[in-house]
Amino acid sequence: MRVLGIETSCDETGVALYDSERGLLADALYSQVAMHAEYGGVVPELASRDHVRKLVPLIREVLAKANLTSKDVDGIAYTEGPGLIGALLVGASVARSLAFAWNVPAVGVHHMEGHLLAPMLADDKPDYPYVALLVSGGHTQLFDVQGLGQYQLLGESLDDAAGEAFDKTAKLMGLGYPGGAVLAKKAEAGRAGVYTFPRPMIDRPNCDFSFSGLKTAALLAWQDSDRSEQAIADIAHAFQLAVVETLVKKCQRALKQTGRKRLVIAGGVSANLELRTQLDIMLKKRSGKAYFPPLKYCTDNGAMIAYAGCQRLLRGEQMDLGISARARWPMVELQ
C-alpha cells in the first residue's frame, strides 16, 4: 500500500509517500521558521496561510521524486491533531479533497503518534512492547507502548514541556527563535560546575515532569551574570545538564516500573546529542537498548504521518468525507 502523508500541525509543511513493502519513497519539508522568527514565535494565521501556499506544490514535488502519479496512491494520511486549528484544517481539507477526487481512503493521524512511530523509519526498528519518551516543544510524556494504538500514559509535564523550556530559556538570553538548538550548541562551550540548577521532581515516586522552575533558575542566573558569551555557555551547559538528567532519571523509573528493556525517544528534543548519549549509557547499564528516529525525522515531518497512516489503513481504518481537525487530542483517546 502506498500512502501519501501530510503534516501541517504548526509551522512546517511536510509531505511524504510511504510504501508498506518498499518503505519511504520520497519526502519534502518546508519550514516557516524564518518567517516566524521576526515575531519571536509562531503566528497562527501566518502559519495557516503559508500551508495553503506550499502544500499542493510539495505534493507534486513528492510524487515527481517518486516517479509516480496520483493513480499510484492507495491512501492518504494527514495530521488530524493536536496543533494549531487553522493549520490543521489546511492539511485536513486538502487530504479529504484529494481522497475524494482520487477515490482512495483517508485517515487522520495523531501528531504525537506520528512522532512515537518515527523510529520505525530507521534501519534499526524496535519491537513491541517498549517505553516511549515523547519530548518536544509542546509535549513531554512517557508511555508504555504495547502495540499500535495501545498506549498507557505513565507520566507527563505538569507545566512547560522540555522543548518549550529550552526555547524560552534561549529567548530570555537573546538567542532568538527557535533557540533550543542554539542553546544546546552554546552548552558545548560551557564549563561544568559554574552553575548548578535543580532537577525538578526527581525525588517524587512518579514519572511526571516539571520544567518551569528550572527555567526560572536559569533566568535568575542570567540576570546576575555579566551577560558575556562565556556566561551564556555556562548557563546553557547547566540548564541542558539539568533537563537531560531529569529526563534520564524519569525514563529509568518508567523502565523499572514496566519491566521493559527497550526505550523509544521521539520528538524534536530527541535530536539533542547529549540526551541521546546519556540515554544510551543508561540503557546499556540496564542491558537494554535505546531507539531514536533519524535526525531529519525528529522534528515535524510528513514521513512519520505517512508511516503511521499506513499502519492504520492496513488495519482497515478510514474516515468518512467529513473534514476533522482537533486542536487538543489526548493520546489515550486512541485506545
Side-chain angles (χ1 to χ4, degrees):
M1 172 177 276
R2 296 191 190 95
V3 177
L4 181 73
I6 295 173
E7 155 62 22
T8 62
S9 65
C10 190
D11 60 344
E12 286 164 317
T13 313
V15 178
L17 194 60
Y18 184 85
D19 188 298
S20 57
E21 296 183 357
R22 297 169 53 198
L24 187 64
L25 302 180
D27 68 301
L29 183 70
Y30 175 78
S31 175
Q32 303 174 0
V33 166
M35 177 179 67
H36 296 296
E38 180 181 350
Y39 304 94
V42 177
V43 182
E45 178 62 24
L46 295 181
S48 301
R49 293 182 182 186
D50 221 37
H51 287 309
V52 171
R53 184 173 66 90
K54 296 298 294 185
L55 184 51
V56 172
L58 283 178
I59 292 173
R60 290 175 177 151
E61 178 184 334
V62 166
L63 288 173
K65 281 183 178 179
N67 196 28
L68 298 172
T69 69
S70 60
K71 295 179 181 179
D72 300 305
V73 176
D74 302 310
I76 299 177
Y78 64 94
T79 303
E80 184 179 350
L84 301 175
I85 192 63
L88 290 168
L89 282 169
V90 175
S93 300
V94 172
R96 289 301 317 150
S97 299
L98 291 180
F100 178 75
W102 297 349
N103 193 29
V104 296
V107 64
V109 172
H110 193 291
H111 179 73
M112 296 312 295
E113 182 176 55
H115 277 301
L116 187 150
L117 297 176
M120 299 297 186
L121 296 168
D123 293 332
D124 188 14
K125 302 175 179 61
D127 294 322
Y128 297 116
Y130 53 76
V131 168
L133 170 65
L134 298 181
V135 55
S136 67
H139 299 80
T140 304
Q141 298 174 310
L142 277 164
F143 286 94
D144 183 32
V145 179
Q146 299 178 29
L148 182 68
Q150 301 177 42
Y151 313 129
Q152 179 185 355
L153 181 65
L154 302 174
E156 61 185 339
S157 178
L158 304 181
D159 40 59
D160 289 351
E164 181 182 9
F166 261 97
D167 285 339
K168 287 182 176 179
T169 301
K171 186 175 181 179
L172 69 86
M173 290 194 293
L175 300 182
Y177 169 85
V182 179
L183 187 146
K185 185 66 177 178
K186 295 285 187 182
E188 296 177 4
R191 297 169 295 181
V194 177
Y195 295 97
T196 301
F197 295 149
R199 276 62 172 160
M201 298 182 69
I202 61 171
D203 295 327
R204 298 190 186 183
N206 58 37
C207 295
D208 290 329
F209 305 88
S210 173
F211 294 107
S212 62
L214 179 56
K215 181 184 62 183
T216 301
L219 173 61
L220 295 174
W222 171 246
Q223 291 174 338
D224 291 339
S225 74
D226 60 6
R227 313 292 178 91
S228 65
E229 282 295 314
Q230 188 60 58
I232 292 175
D234 292 339
I235 293 172
H237 180 275
F239 177 85
Q240 177 174 260
L241 187 62
V243 173
V244 168
E245 288 187 1
T246 300
L247 292 173
V248 171
K249 183 72 173 180
K250 294 292 184 172
C251 287
Q252 187 174 6
R253 184 169 295 160
L255 290 165
K256 183 177 180 180
Q257 289 179 3
T258 59
R260 308 296 187 208
K261 291 292 186 179
R262 291 181 288 270
L263 176 69
V264 161
I265 306 92
V269 183
S270 68
N272 184 282
L273 297 181
E274 181 65 19
L275 178 61
R276 288 186 172 222
T277 299
Q278 295 306 319
L279 285 173
D280 266 333
I281 292 173
M282 183 268 287
L283 264 296
K284 287 177 181 177
K285 288 181 180 179
R286 297 179 58 86
S287 299
K289 187 171 182 179
Y291 296 85
F292 305 90
L295 283 174
K296 67 178 295 187
Y297 301 127
C298 289
T299 54
D300 296 351
N301 62 87
M304 67 182 191
I305 302 303
Y307 176 85
C310 184
Q311 306 314 303
R312 293 277 179 180
L313 288 167
L314 286 172
R315 297 204 313 187
E317 298 181 28
Q318 66 180 74
M319 303 179 70
D320 57 27
L321 291 176
I323 296 173
S324 176
R326 311 189 204 184
R328 297 182 181 276
W329 188 8
M331 264 190 70
V332 291
E333 292 184 5
L334 291 176
Q335 300 277 11

